[in-house]
C-alpha cells in the first residue's frame, strides 16, 4: 500500500533525526524518571478534522484503553497496554503507555507526536523500565501502524 510505505518513510526520517540527537554526548546523570522515546510527524493531504476524530474510534476498535488529557488540545494518554512476550524473552510481559497528540495545522495538515513509556515484567514480578531506544522506537512504529492513519 503506497500510503503505508510513505508513512513508514516519514517515520524513518523522524526516528533518524531522533537517533542523531540521542547520540549527542551528554554527562551521565542519575534520574528516577523513566526515559521516554518519541516521534513527531506530519500527515498531509487528508482532512485534519477527520484524522483527529478517527483516532479515538480506532483506539476503541483496537481495545486500547485511553483517556483524554486535554481533548481541546488533542492530547491523549493511551494504555497501559499489557501483552505477553515470546518464549525466551527476558520479560514475561510488556507494558506500554503512550502520550499522543494530534492537532490541525490547517485543513489538510495534522501534526502528531507520540512518546512511549515501556516496561517489562521480570521473573521476580518487578516492572523494569526498558530504555533501549531502538526497542522503544519499534514499539512506537508498531503502535502508529496499528492506528493506520
Amino acid at each position: 500500500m503506497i500510503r503505508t510505505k510513505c508513512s513508514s518513510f516519514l517515520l524513518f526520517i523522524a526516528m533518524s533525526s531522533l537517533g542523531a540527537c540521542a547520540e549527542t554526548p551528554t554527562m551521565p546523570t542519575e534520574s528516577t524518571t523513566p526515559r521516554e522515546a518519541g516521534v513527531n510527524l506530519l500527515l498531509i493531504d487528508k482532512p485534519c478534522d477527520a484524522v483527529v476524530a478517527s483516532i479515538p474510534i480506532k483506539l476503541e476498535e483496537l481495545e486500547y484503553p485511553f483517556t483524554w488529557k486535554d481533548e481541546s488540545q488533542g492530547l491523549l494518554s493511551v494504555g497501559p497496554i499489557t501483552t505477553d512476550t515470546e518464549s525466551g524473552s527476558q520479560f514475561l510481559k510488556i507494558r506500554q503507555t503512550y502520550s499522543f497528540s494530534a492537532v490541525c495545522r490547517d485543513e489538510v495538515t495534522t501534526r502528531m507526536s507520540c512518546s512511549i513509556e515501556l516496561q517489562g515484567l521480570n521473573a521476580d514480578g518487578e516492572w523494569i523500565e526498558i530504555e533501549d531506544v531502538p526497542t522503544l522506537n519499534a514499539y512506537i512504529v508498531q503502535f502508529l501502524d496499528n492506528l493506520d492513519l
Side-chain angles (χ1 to χ4, degrees):
M1 192 173 212
I2 293 172
R3 181 173 51 89
T4 302
K5 288 181 182 178
C6 181
S7 297
S8 297
F9 178 71
L10 290 174
L11 286 175
F12 173 75
I13 291 171
M15 285 189 300
S16 295
S17 298
L18 286 175
C21 294
E23 293 176 5
T24 304
T26 58
M27 296 298 292
T29 59
E30 289 293 320
S31 174
T32 57
T33 58
R35 174 188 277 187
E36 290 186 357
V39 297
N40 295 305
L41 55 109
L42 291 174
L43 184 60
I44 300 171
D45 290 338
K46 280 189 158 183
C48 181
D49 290 339
V51 171
V52 172
S54 73
I55 294 168
I57 294 167
K58 290 184 181 196
L59 291 170
E60 287 175 355
E61 288 172 358
L62 293 165
E63 298 181 0
Y64 290 168
F66 70 93
T67 56
W68 286 101
K69 289 183 183 179
D70 185 341
E71 190 169 356
S72 68
Q73 296 293 313
L75 300 174
L76 285 163
S77 178
V78 182
I81 302 165
T82 305
T83 56
D84 294 325
T85 59
E86 296 178 9
S87 177
S89 172
Q90 73 183 60
F91 298 111
L92 303 172
K93 294 183 179 287
I94 296 291
R95 183 166 57 195
Q96 310 160 54
T97 305
Y98 298 91
S99 292
F100 185 84
S101 71
V103 293
C104 297
R105 289 188 62 186
D106 57 47
E107 290 180 6
V108 293
T109 306
T110 310
R111 185 179 135 270
M112 292 179 278
S113 64
C114 184
S115 62
I116 184 174
E117 182 179 325
L118 192 64
Q119 300 172 319
L121 181 67
N122 68 14
D124 295 332
E126 301 172 319
W127 288 102
I128 307 297
E129 297 296 326
I130 299 173
E131 297 182 344
D132 176 61
V133 173
T135 301
L136 296 171
N137 285 338
Y139 274 89
I140 290 174
V141 169
Q142 180 183 19
F143 172 74
L144 292 172
D145 280 349
N146 288 345
L147 289 180
D148 192 30
L149 302 171

